[in-house]
Amino acid sequence: MNVVQGVVRWADRFQQRHSVVGFPFAVVKKYGDDQAGNLAALIAYYGFFSLFPLMLVFVTILGLALKDNPTLQDKILHSALAQFPIIGDQIENNVHSLQGSGLTLLIAILVTLWAGLGVMNAMQTAMNVVWDVPRRDRPNFIKGRVRALLMLVLLGTASIAAAVVAGITAAAANSTVSFVLGLALSFALNLGVFLLAFKILTARKLSWGDVLPGAVLAAVAWLALQLLGGYIVGHQLKSASQVYGLFAVVIGLLAWMALGATVTLYAAEVNVVRKERLWPRSLVQPPLTEADRAAYRRAAIASERRPEQTIAVRFEEETDHESEQADRSERGRIRDVEERGASGTR
């Protein structure tokens, strides 16, 4: 046991001295502290229920806009769904254009907005948890829904465009120039999506530079996932579609969305750890590092629900004066919300 403890202690000292190891470890630890896996599951859950209404509206509008060009309709639809590995073809074969009057389409759009708001609200909650925004400073019901609706329109449009470009890119592998240009455009669209999501869905005054590293990481990861999905669907499973039924579609969608949500939240954690310098973290306690104390202090302060409530944090090695100063410093950092004070946030 002493040998094992010695090895662990050595590894802990090593990662604390070397940021190339210590920074990723701090990101993983912050992800665990925030229980971000549960947040990713919630995002995937709402994403699953919003996907089919969104696809119904997308296919219907596509049919109206390109009613004289069914070949182009099929190409765009297939390209958009090629990002979903294994189950993209199943979705394409079972989602069809809505039939009926304009009222039918209007109702479908409203249902899509309602379902999509769940995703945006889950993302908004996740961003505020990741950034340790106190509950007292998070947007109220009305403000949160308005912001979610605006972001749904912006991010939904950009996400569909990115998916279409990624699908076309995967299909254009026979042309080097088209493939490279498609990659660049897809990366740019993904980057714009994540920049908007990380900045606007967080009730903090963040600069574009604060969210850029995580957005770049997320854009690269999503591009890789989309290309991999298109490759699997296009080259590996041409003759295996009959094996997959409704159960496989459901599980496949949930797993794919959970993976995407996990990648997104890890990228958001990168921004937080970098901006707030929450590394190096300790692998074994005691002792706690300064970053450990800051992270635990922030998490405690973030649970404040009312203006009348103040949570004080004191570690054993701190004096009362030191703990008060540290509390004041961290509270000032994490309460730097978009609208200071009580107006519009409670």
Side-chain angles (χ1 to χ4, degrees), residues 5-69:
Q5 290 178 348
V7 172
V8 173
R9 289 286 183 182
W10 175 86
D12 193 13
R13 291 191 297 270
F14 179 85
Q15 66 90 14
Q16 289 188 35
R17 291 195 302 266
H18 299 83
S19 295
V20 68
V21 180
F23 183 86
F25 174 72
V27 171
V28 172
K29 190 159 187 175
K30 180 73 164 56
Y31 184 92
D33 290 343
D34 293 336
Q35 296 183 318
N38 294 339
L39 299 173
L42 188 63
I43 294 170
Y45 170 82
Y46 281 110
F48 174 80
F49 282 104
S50 67
L51 176 65
F52 287 100
L54 176 62
M55 290 307 304
L56 282 173
V57 173
F58 175 64
V59 171
T60 302
I61 294 178
L62 192 64
L64 293 174
L66 299 174
K67 60 182 179 180
D68 297 326
N69 195 338

Coordinates of all heavy atoms in Angstrom, one line a residue, residues 5-69:
Q5 N 0.8 4.3 -2.6 CA 0.6 5.7 -2.2 C 1.8 6.6 -2.7 O 1.6 7.7 -3.1 CB 0.5 5.8 -0.7 CG -0.8 5.2 -0.1 CD -0.9 5.3 1.4 OE1 0.1 5.5 2.0 NE2 -2.1 5.0 1.9
G6 N 3.0 6.0 -2.6 CA 4.1 6.8 -3.1 C 4.1 7.1 -4.6 O 4.4 8.2 -5.0
V7 N 3.6 6.1 -5.4 CA 3.5 6.3 -6.8 C 2.4 7.4 -7.1 O 2.6 8.3 -7.9 CB 3.2 5.0 -7.5 CG1 2.8 5.3 -9.0 CG2 4.3 4.0 -7.4
V8 N 1.3 7.3 -6.4 CA 0.2 8.3 -6.6 C 0.7 9.7 -6.2 O 0.4 10.7 -6.9 CB -1.0 7.9 -5.8 CG1 -2.1 9.0 -5.8 CG2 -1.6 6.6 -6.3
R9 N 1.4 9.8 -5.1 CA 1.9 11.1 -4.6 C 2.9 11.6 -5.6 O 2.9 12.8 -5.9 CB 2.6 10.9 -3.3 CG 1.7 10.7 -2.1 CD 0.9 11.9 -1.7 NE 0.0 11.7 -0.6 CZ -0.8 12.6 -0.1 NH1 -0.8 13.8 -0.6 NH2 -1.5 12.3 1.0
W10 N 3.8 10.7 -6.2 CA 4.7 11.2 -7.2 C 4.0 11.7 -8.4 O 4.3 12.7 -9.0 CB 5.6 10.1 -7.6 CG 6.6 10.4 -8.7 CD1 7.8 11.0 -8.7 CD2 6.3 10.2 -10.1 NE1 8.3 11.2 -9.9 CE2 7.4 10.7 -10.8 CE3 5.3 9.6 -10.8 CZ2 7.5 10.7 -12.2 CZ3 5.3 9.6 -12.2 CH2 6.4 10.1 -12.9
A11 N 3.0 11.0 -8.9 CA 2.2 11.4 -10.0 C 1.5 12.7 -9.8 O 1.4 13.6 -10.7 CB 1.1 10.3 -10.4
D12 N 1.0 12.9 -8.5 CA 0.3 14.2 -8.2 C 1.3 15.3 -8.3 O 1.0 16.4 -8.8 CB -0.2 14.0 -6.8 CG -1.2 15.2 -6.4 OD1 -1.6 15.9 -7.4 OD2 -1.5 15.3 -5.2
R13 N 2.5 15.1 -7.7 CA 3.5 16.2 -7.8 C 3.9 16.5 -9.2 O 4.1 17.7 -9.6 CB 4.7 15.8 -6.9 CG 4.5 15.8 -5.4 CD 5.8 15.7 -4.7 NE 6.5 14.4 -5.0 CZ 6.4 13.3 -4.3 NH1 5.5 13.2 -3.3 NH2 7.0 12.2 -4.7
F14 N 4.0 15.5 -10.0 CA 4.4 15.6 -11.4 C 3.4 16.5 -12.2 O 3.7 17.4 -12.9 CB 4.6 14.3 -12.1 CG 5.0 14.4 -13.5 CD1 6.3 14.5 -13.9 CD2 4.0 14.3 -14.5 CE1 6.6 14.6 -15.2 CE2 4.3 14.4 -15.9 CZ 5.7 14.5 -16.2
Q15 N 2.1 16.1 -12.0 CA 1.0 16.8 -12.8 C 0.9 18.2 -12.3 O 0.5 19.1 -13.1 CB -0.3 16.0 -12.7 CG -1.0 15.9 -11.4 CD -1.9 17.1 -11.1 OE1 -2.3 17.8 -12.0 NE2 -2.3 17.2 -9.8
Q16 N 1.1 18.5 -11.0 CA 1.0 19.9 -10.5 C 2.2 20.7 -11.0 O 2.0 21.9 -11.2 CB 1.0 19.9 -9.0 CG -0.2 19.3 -8.4 CD -0.3 19.5 -6.9 OE1 0.2 20.5 -6.3 NE2 -0.9 18.5 -6.2
R17 N 3.3 20.1 -11.3 CA 4.5 20.9 -11.8 C 4.4 21.1 -13.3 O 5.1 22.0 -13.9 CB 5.8 20.2 -11.5 CG 6.1 20.2 -10.0 CD 7.6 19.8 -9.8 NE 7.9 18.5 -10.3 CZ 7.8 17.4 -9.6 NH1 7.5 17.4 -8.4 NH2 8.1 16.2 -10.3
H18 N 3.7 20.3 -14.1 CA 3.7 20.3 -15.5 C 2.2 20.6 -16.0 O 1.4 19.8 -15.9 CB 4.2 19.0 -16.1 CG 5.6 18.7 -15.7 ND1 5.9 18.1 -14.5 CD2 6.8 18.9 -16.4 CE1 7.2 17.9 -14.4 NE2 7.7 18.4 -15.5
S19 N 2.0 21.8 -16.5 CA 0.7 22.3 -17.0 C 0.2 21.4 -18.1 O -1.1 21.3 -18.2 CB 0.7 23.7 -17.4 OG 1.0 24.6 -16.3
V20 N 1.0 20.8 -18.9 CA 0.6 20.0 -20.0 C -0.2 18.8 -19.5 O -1.1 18.3 -20.2 CB 1.8 19.6 -20.9 CG1 2.7 18.6 -20.1 CG2 1.3 19.0 -22.2
V21 N 0.1 18.4 -18.3 CA -0.7 17.3 -17.7 C -1.7 17.9 -16.7 O -2.8 17.4 -16.6 CB 0.2 16.3 -17.0 CG1 -0.6 15.2 -16.3 CG2 1.3 15.7 -17.9
G22 N -1.3 18.9 -15.9 CA -2.1 19.4 -14.8 C -3.3 20.1 -15.3 O -4.4 20.0 -14.7
F23 N -3.2 20.8 -16.5 CA -4.4 21.5 -17.0 C -5.5 20.6 -17.4 O -6.7 20.7 -17.0 CB -4.0 22.4 -18.1 CG -5.1 23.3 -18.7 CD1 -5.5 24.5 -18.1 CD2 -5.9 22.8 -19.7 CE1 -6.5 25.3 -18.5 CE2 -6.9 23.6 -20.2 CZ -7.3 24.8 -19.6
P24 N -5.2 19.5 -18.2 CA -6.3 18.6 -18.6 C -6.9 17.9 -17.4 O -8.1 17.6 -17.3 CB -5.6 17.6 -19.5 CG -4.4 18.3 -20.1 CD -4.0 19.2 -19.0
F25 N -6.0 17.5 -16.4 CA -6.5 16.9 -15.2 C -7.5 17.8 -14.4 O -8.5 17.4 -13.9 CB -5.4 16.5 -14.2 CG -5.8 16.0 -12.9 CD1 -6.5 14.7 -12.8 CD2 -5.7 16.7 -11.8 CE1 -6.9 14.3 -11.6 CE2 -6.1 16.3 -10.5 CZ -6.7 15.0 -10.4
A26 N -7.1 19.1 -14.4 CA -8.0 20.1 -13.7 C -9.4 20.2 -14.4 O -10.4 20.4 -13.8 CB -7.3 21.5 -13.6
V27 N -9.3 20.1 -15.8 CA -10.6 20.2 -16.6 C -11.5 19.0 -16.2 O -12.7 19.1 -16.0 CB -10.3 20.2 -18.1 CG1 -11.5 20.1 -18.9 CG2 -9.6 21.6 -18.4
V28 N -10.8 17.8 -16.2 CA -11.6 16.6 -15.9 C -12.1 16.7 -14.5 O -13.3 16.3 -14.2 CB -10.7 15.4 -16.1 CG1 -11.4 14.1 -15.6 CG2 -10.3 15.2 -17.5
K29 N -11.4 17.2 -13.5 CA -11.8 17.3 -12.2 C -13.0 18.3 -12.0 O -13.9 18.0 -11.3 CB -10.7 17.6 -11.2 CG -11.0 17.5 -9.7 CD -9.8 17.3 -8.9 CE -10.2 17.0 -7.4 NZ -9.0 16.7 -6.6
K30 N -12.9 19.4 -12.7 CA -13.9 20.4 -12.6 C -15.2 19.8 -13.3 O -16.3 20.1 -12.8 CB -13.5 21.6 -13.4 CG -14.5 22.8 -13.5 CD -14.6 23.5 -12.2 CE -15.4 24.8 -12.3 NZ -16.7 24.8 -12.9
Y31 N -15.1 19.0 -14.3 CA -16.2 18.4 -14.9 C -16.9 17.5 -13.9 O -18.1 17.4 -13.8 CB -15.7 17.6 -16.2 CG -16.8 16.9 -17.0 CD1 -17.4 17.6 -18.0 CD2 -17.3 15.6 -16.7 CE1 -18.4 17.0 -18.8 CE2 -18.3 15.0 -17.4 CZ -18.8 15.7 -18.5 OH -19.8 15.1 -19.2
G32 N -16.1 16.7 -13.2 CA -16.7 15.9 -12.2 C -17.3 16.6 -11.0 O -18.4 16.3 -10.5
D33 N -16.6 17.7 -10.6 CA -17.1 18.5 -9.5 C -18.5 19.1 -9.8 O -19.4 19.2 -9.0 CB -16.2 19.6 -9.1 CG -14.9 19.1 -8.4 OD1 -14.9 18.0 -8.0 OD2 -13.9 19.9 -8.4
D34 N -18.7 19.5 -11.1 CA -19.9 20.1 -11.5 C -21.0 19.1 -11.8 O -22.1 19.5 -12.2 CB -19.7 20.9 -12.8 CG -18.8 22.1 -12.5 OD1 -18.8 22.6 -11.3 OD2 -18.2 22.6 -13.4
Q35 N -20.7 17.8 -11.7 CA -21.6 16.7 -12.1 C -22.1 17.0 -13.5 O -23.3 16.8 -13.8 CB -22.8 16.6 -11.1 CG -22.3 16.2 -9.7 CD -23.5 16.0 -8.8 OE1 -24.5 16.7 -8.8 NE2 -23.4 14.9 -8.0
A36 N -21.2 17.4 -14.4 CA -21.5 17.7 -15.7 C -22.0 16.6 -16.6 O -22.7 16.8 -17.6 CB -20.3 18.4 -16.4
G37 N -21.7 15.3 -16.1 CA -22.3 14.2 -16.8 C -23.8 14.2 -16.8 O -24.4 13.8 -17.8
N38 N -24.3 14.6 -15.6 CA -25.8 14.6 -15.5 C -26.4 15.8 -16.4 O -27.4 15.6 -17.0 CB -26.2 14.9 -14.0 CG -25.8 13.7 -13.1 OD1 -25.7 12.6 -13.6 ND2 -25.7 14.0 -11.8
L39 N -25.6 16.9 -16.5 CA -26.1 18.0 -17.3 C -26.0 17.5 -18.8 O -26.9 17.9 -19.6 CB -25.2 19.2 -17.1 CG -25.2 19.8 -15.7 CD1 -24.1 20.9 -15.6 CD2 -26.5 20.3 -15.3
A40 N -25.0 16.8 -19.2 CA -24.9 16.3 -20.6 C -26.1 15.4 -20.9 O -26.7 15.4 -22.0 CB -23.6 15.6 -20.8
A41 N -26.4 14.5 -19.9 CA -27.6 13.6 -20.1 C -28.9 14.4 -20.3 O -29.7 14.0 -21.1 CB -27.7 12.6 -18.9
L42 N -29.0 15.4 -19.5 CA -30.2 16.3 -19.6 C -30.3 16.9 -21.0 O -31.4 17.0 -21.6 CB -30.3 17.3 -18.5 CG -31.5 18.1 -18.4 CD1 -32.7 17.2 -18.0 CD2 -31.4 19.2 -17.3
I43 N -29.2 17.4 -21.5 CA -29.2 18.1 -22.8 C -29.5 17.0 -23.9 O -30.3 17.3 -24.8 CB -27.8 18.7 -23.1 CG1 -27.5 19.9 -22.1 CG2 -27.7 19.1 -24.5 CD1 -26.1 20.4 -22.1
A44 N -28.9 15.8 -23.8 CA -29.2 14.8 -24.7 C -30.7 14.4 -24.7 O -31.3 14.1 -25.7 CB -28.3 13.5 -24.4
Y45 N -31.3 14.3 -23.5 CA -32.7 14.0 -23.4 C -33.6 15.0 -24.1 O -34.4 14.6 -24.9 CB -33.1 13.9 -21.9 CG -34.5 13.8 -21.6 CD1 -35.2 12.6 -21.6 CD2 -35.3 15.0 -21.3 CE1 -36.5 12.5 -21.3 CE2 -36.6 14.9 -21.0 CZ -37.3 13.6 -21.0 OH -38.6 13.5 -20.7
Y46 N -33.4 16.3 -23.9 CA -34.2 17.3 -24.5 C -33.8 17.3 -26.0 O -34.7 17.6 -26.9 CB -34.0 18.6 -23.9 CG -34.8 18.8 -22.6 CD1 -34.1 18.8 -21.4 CD2 -36.2 18.9 -22.6 CE1 -34.8 19.0 -20.2 CE2 -36.9 19.1 -21.5 CZ -36.2 19.1 -20.2 OH -36.9 19.2 -19.1
G47 N -32.6 17.1 -26.4 CA -32.2 17.1 -27.8 C -32.9 16.0 -28.5 O -33.3 16.2 -29.7
F48 N -33.0 14.8 -27.9 CA -33.7 13.7 -28.6 C -35.2 14.0 -28.9 O -35.6 13.8 -30.0 CB -33.7 12.5 -27.6 CG -34.4 11.3 -28.2 CD1 -33.9 10.5 -29.1 CD2 -35.7 11.0 -27.7 CE1 -34.6 9.4 -29.6 CE2 -36.4 10.0 -28.1 CZ -35.9 9.1 -29.1
F49 N -35.9 14.7 -28.0 CA -37.3 15.0 -28.2 C -37.5 16.2 -29.1 O -38.5 16.3 -29.7 CB -38.0 15.3 -26.9 CG -38.3 14.1 -26.1 CD1 -37.6 13.7 -25.0 CD2 -39.4 13.2 -26.5 CE1 -37.8 12.5 -24.3 CE2 -39.7 12.1 -25.8 CZ -38.9 11.7 -24.6
S50 N -36.4 17.0 -29.3 CA -36.6 18.1 -30.2 C -36.2 17.8 -31.6 O -36.5 18.5 -32.6 CB -35.7 19.3 -29.7 OG -34.3 19.0 -29.8
L51 N -35.4 16.7 -31.8 CA -34.9 16.4 -33.1 C -36.0 16.1 -34.2 O -36.0 16.6 -35.2 CB -33.9 15.2 -33.0 CG -33.4 14.7 -34.4 CD1 -32.5 15.8 -35.0 CD2 -32.6 13.4 -34.2
F52 N -36.9 15.2 -33.8 CA -37.9 14.8 -34.8 C -38.9 15.9 -35.2 O -39.1 16.1 -36.4 CB -38.7 13.6 -34.3 CG -37.8 12.3 -34.4 CD1 -37.2 11.9 -33.2 CD2 -37.6 11.7 -35.5 CE1 -36.5 10.7 -33.2 CE2 -36.8 10.5 -35.6 CZ -36.3 10.0 -34.4
P53 N -39.3 16.8 -34.3 CA -40.1 17.9 -34.7 C -39.3 18.9 -35.6 O -39.8 19.4 -36.6 CB -40.5 18.6 -33.4 CG -40.5 17.6 -32.4 CD -39.4 16.6 -32.8
L54 N -38.0 19.1 -35.3 CA -37.1 19.9 -36.1 C -37.0 19.3 -37.5 O -37.0 20.0 -38.5 CB -35.8 20.0 -35.4 CG -34.7 20.8 -36.2 CD1 -35.2 22.3 -36.4 CD2 -33.4 20.8 -35.4
M55 N -36.8 18.0 -37.5 CA -36.6 17.4 -38.8 C -37.9 17.5 -39.7 O -37.8 17.6 -40.9 CB -36.2 15.9 -38.7 CG -34.7 15.8 -38.2 SD -33.5 16.7 -39.1 CE -33.8 16.0 -40.8
L56 N -39.0 17.3 -39.0 CA -40.3 17.4 -39.8 C -40.4 18.8 -40.4 O -40.8 18.9 -41.6 CB -41.5 17.2 -38.8 CG -41.8 15.7 -38.5 CD1 -42.9 15.7 -37.4 CD2 -42.3 15.0 -39.7
V57 N -40.2 19.8 -39.6 CA -40.2 21.2 -40.2 C -39.2 21.4 -41.2 O -39.4 22.0 -42.3 CB -40.1 22.2 -39.0 CG1 -40.0 23.6 -39.6 CG2 -41.3 22.1 -38.1
F58 N -38.0 20.9 -41.0 CA -36.9 21.1 -41.9 C -37.2 20.4 -43.3 O -37.1 21.0 -44.4 CB -35.6 20.5 -41.4 CG -34.4 20.5 -42.3 CD1 -33.9 21.7 -42.8 CD2 -33.9 19.3 -42.8 CE1 -32.8 21.7 -43.6 CE2 -32.8 19.3 -43.6 CZ -32.3 20.5 -44.1
V59 N -37.7 19.2 -43.3 CA -38.1 18.5 -44.5 C -39.2 19.2 -45.2 O -39.2 19.3 -46.4 CB -38.4 17.0 -44.1 CG1 -39.0 16.3 -45.4 CG2 -37.2 16.3 -43.7
T60 N -40.2 19.6 -44.4 CA -41.4 20.3 -45.0 C -41.0 21.6 -45.7 O -41.3 21.9 -46.9 CB -42.4 20.6 -44.0 OG1 -42.8 19.4 -43.3 CG2 -43.6 21.3 -44.6
I61 N -40.2 22.4 -45.0 CA -39.7 23.7 -45.7 C -38.8 23.4 -46.9 O -38.9 24.1 -47.9 CB -39.0 24.5 -44.6 CG1 -40.0 25.0 -43.5 CG2 -38.3 25.8 -45.3 CD1 -39.4 25.8 -42.4
L62 N -38.0 22.4 -46.7 CA -37.1 22.0 -47.9 C -38.0 21.6 -49.1 O -37.7 22.0 -50.2 CB -36.2 20.8 -47.4 CG -35.1 20.5 -48.3 CD1 -34.1 21.6 -48.4 CD2 -34.4 19.2 -47.8
G63 N -39.1 20.8 -48.8 CA -39.9 20.4 -49.9 C -40.6 21.6 -50.6 O -40.8 21.6 -51.8
L64 N -41.0 22.6 -49.7 CA -41.7 23.8 -50.3 C -40.7 24.6 -51.1 O -41.1 25.1 -52.2 CB -42.3 24.6 -49.2 CG -43.5 23.9 -48.4 CD1 -43.9 24.8 -47.3 CD2 -44.7 23.7 -49.4
A65 N -39.5 24.8 -50.6 CA -38.6 25.6 -51.3 C -38.0 25.0 -52.5 O -37.7 25.7 -53.5 CB -37.4 26.0 -50.3
L66 N -37.9 23.7 -52.6 CA -37.3 23.0 -53.7 C -38.2 22.0 -54.3 O -37.8 20.9 -54.7 CB -36.0 22.3 -53.3 CG -34.9 23.2 -52.7 CD1 -33.7 22.4 -52.2 CD2 -34.4 24.2 -53.8
K67 N -39.5 22.4 -54.4 CA -40.5 21.4 -54.9 C -40.3 21.0 -56.3 O -40.7 19.9 -56.8 CB -41.9 22.0 -54.7 CG -42.1 23.3 -55.5 CD -43.5 23.8 -55.3 CE -43.7 25.1 -56.0 NZ -45.1 25.7 -55.8
D68 N -39.5 21.8 -57.1 CA -39.3 21.5 -58.5 C -37.9 20.8 -58.7 O -37.5 20.5 -59.8 CB -39.3 22.8 -59.3 CG -40.6 23.5 -59.3 OD1 -41.6 22.7 -59.3 OD2 -40.7 24.7 -59.4
N69 N -37.2 20.5 -57.6 CA -35.9 19.9 -57.7 C -35.8 18.8 -56.6 O -35.0 19.0 -55.6 CB -34.8 20.9 -57.5 CG -33.5 20.4 -58.0 OD1 -33.2 19.2 -58.1 ND2 -32.5 21.3 -58.3

